Amino acid sequence: MSRPFLSPFHAKPSPITDDGDEFTFCSSCAFAGACRAEGYDKSALEELHCLVEHVGPYHAGTPLFREGDPFNAIAAVRSGTVKTFRIDASGREQVLGFFLLGEVIGLDAIHNGRFPCNAVALDTVSLCRFSFPMMATLATRMPGLQAQLFRLLSQDINKAAAMAGDFSADERMAAFVLSIARRFAYRGFSPTRFVLSMSRTDIGNYLRLAAETVSRVVRRFQDEGLLRVDRREFEILDLRRLQQLALPVLRE
């Protein structure tokens, strides 16, 4: 008899260490800046019963939550990459997004109290889980935390809308590479060199392109000196030209 699925959003926390300590948060924490700005450290948050729980690690292919699961927590990615997706009526997968280190998953479940999509680990993933009822209560006392929640929701909406226009394959791919690079840079990593955990098929699905088109565009970008690509390792060689290509999508 198969065991019932236990979402990491409901699993017991694990005692994983981080680069913070008993007073400070991980450097990649999506909420650390807001909490520090309000004068709160970990001990103060614990006194307010807002506990940050570490869950994982989860190996590639592990479901993190499934469409329709009850919502009671959001989670920040501590390590690895998470893919969110839906399955349509024909059984086809529609990739909705990719979440990198420090980014928050689960915000789109706030509206109706259930997750509207599926999430899966693309590599080894660990999460920081936040009880949403506790966080919502805490946010009423911490305007900075409330503002950060609104910013994160806005970012999710903007990311979803960015690819909705009638853009060329080159424009979509350039915007995708730049977006990933900037998100890594925001967390303190190299702004020009990074490894992508997602497959060409997943990238194409997200960009509404065939996997073969993604591979063809990437090869052309290499031939034209925009990128250096070794399997899943990307290096931006000509940032200015890549920005010009991505301009219609990113609207900068």
Side-chain angles (χ1 to χ4, degrees):
M1 184 175 180
S2 61
R3 297 173 61 187
F5 170 67
L6 179 62
S7 164
F9 280 64
H10 301 87
K12 291 182 179 179
S14 58
I16 304 172
T17 58
D18 54 40
D19 64 355
D21 54 33
E22 62 180 314
F23 300 108
T24 59
F25 290 85
C26 303
S27 59
S28 62
C29 178
F31 299 102
C35 293
R36 283 195 299 267
E38 295 294 320
Y40 288 93
D41 58 20
K42 277 185 177 177
S43 60
L45 292 177
E46 287 173 354
E47 291 174 4
L48 291 169
H49 308 291
C50 182
L51 302 179
V52 181
E53 298 176 323
H54 293 167
V55 293
Y58 300 97
H59 299 299
T62 302
L64 303 180
F65 55 77
R66 291 173 175 164
E67 184 174 354
D69 282 351
F71 166 74
N72 63 5
I74 58 177
V77 180
R78 265 183 91 237
S79 64
T81 304
V82 174
K83 176 181 74 172
T84 55
F85 65 97
R86 288 196 183 104
I87 303 297
D88 67 18
S90 302
R92 293 172 297 190
E93 181 177 300
Q94 178 188 2
V95 176
L96 302 177
F98 305 103
F99 293 80
L100 311 177
L101 177 70
E103 297 180 341
V104 176
I105 56 176
L107 292 170
D108 53 356
I110 294 173
H111 171 63
N112 63 8
R114 291 190 177 274
F115 290 104
C117 61
N118 307 279
V120 65
L122 290 183
D123 47 17
T124 302
V125 167
S126 297
L127 303 171
C128 285
R129 183 176 61 198
F130 301 82
S131 163
F132 189 75
M134 292 181 182
M135 177 160 282
T137 299
L138 182 60
T140 64
R141 308 183 193 183
M142 295 175 58
L145 181 58
Q146 188 176 64
Q148 178 67 353
L149 281 170
F150 289 147
R151 279 193 293 270
L152 293 170
L153 283 165
S154 177
Q155 287 172 6
D156 271 7
I157 294 169
N158 288 338
K159 280 190 286 188
M163 296 296 173
D166 184 18
F167 305 116
S168 71
D170 285 16
E171 290 167 343
R172 288 174 182 271
M173 192 65 206
F176 177 75
V177 171
L178 276 181
S179 173
I180 294 289
R182 291 171 181 177
R183 288 155 65 187
F184 275 123
Y186 182 74
R187 300 297 172 190
F189 295 95
S190 170
T192 58
R193 295 186 66 179
F194 47 87
V195 175
L196 297 181
S197 300
M198 61 288 291
S199 66
R200 296 284 198 274
T201 299
D202 280 342
I203 294 171
N205 189 314
Y206 175 67
L207 297 178
R208 308 301 179 255
L209 301 171
E212 295 79 8
T213 302
V214 171
S215 296
R216 186 168 62 250
V217 171
V218 169
R219 282 196 301 270
R220 186 165 64 253
F221 282 3
Q222 291 184 86
D223 293 342
E224 295 176 358
L226 276 71
L227 297 176
R228 183 190 67 81
V229 180
D230 182 7
R231 297 184 181 181
R232 296 191 179 186
E233 182 178 328
F234 279 59
E235 181 179 5
I236 297 174
L237 301 178
D238 194 330
L239 179 60
R240 185 184 62 82
R241 289 173 61 201
L242 207 61
Q243 289 172 331
Q244 288 176 338
L245 271 174
L247 187 60
V249 182
L250 300 181
R251 300 178 184 179
E252 298 176 344

